[in-house]
Amino acid sequence: MRTVAQAARVTALGPESDGTIEVVRRADATHSYLFVINHGHAEIEIAASGHELVTDAAVDRIVRVPAGAVRVIREDTAA
């Protein structure tokens, strides 16, 4: 994907811009999941709200992702 983006001259502006962090959202009509993969050497923080499935913990505004870790957040949706 990075190759396609570079060929299209698209520049990532988010926390994933240097390739150490992958952030992907997958959603359908009823659910939304945020996947965060930290390939870096330091803990990161990403804005999110919902329930983190790897650690089975509530997320209120910020999820911390340790170096080398993955977090999957089932996001809160507006009712």
Side-chain angles (χ1 to χ4, degrees), residues 2-68:
R2 187 176 303 132
T3 303
V4 172
Q6 289 171 343
R9 297 182 185 209
V10 173
T11 302
L13 299 176
E16 68 278 9
S17 63
D18 69 353
T20 60
I21 302 164
E22 294 180 58
V23 180
V24 176
R25 178 173 284 112
R26 295 286 183 248
D28 63 17
T30 58
H31 299 91
S32 179
Y33 295 89
L34 185 68
F35 296 80
V36 183
I37 305 169
N38 183 355
H39 299 284
H41 298 289
E43 180 178 84
I44 60 160
E45 294 182 345
I46 297 287
S49 292
H51 189 84
E52 203 291 305
L53 301 176
V54 174
T55 61
D56 193 25
V59 176
D60 184 29
R61 295 188 304 241
I62 298 291
V63 63
R64 290 179 174 81
V65 185

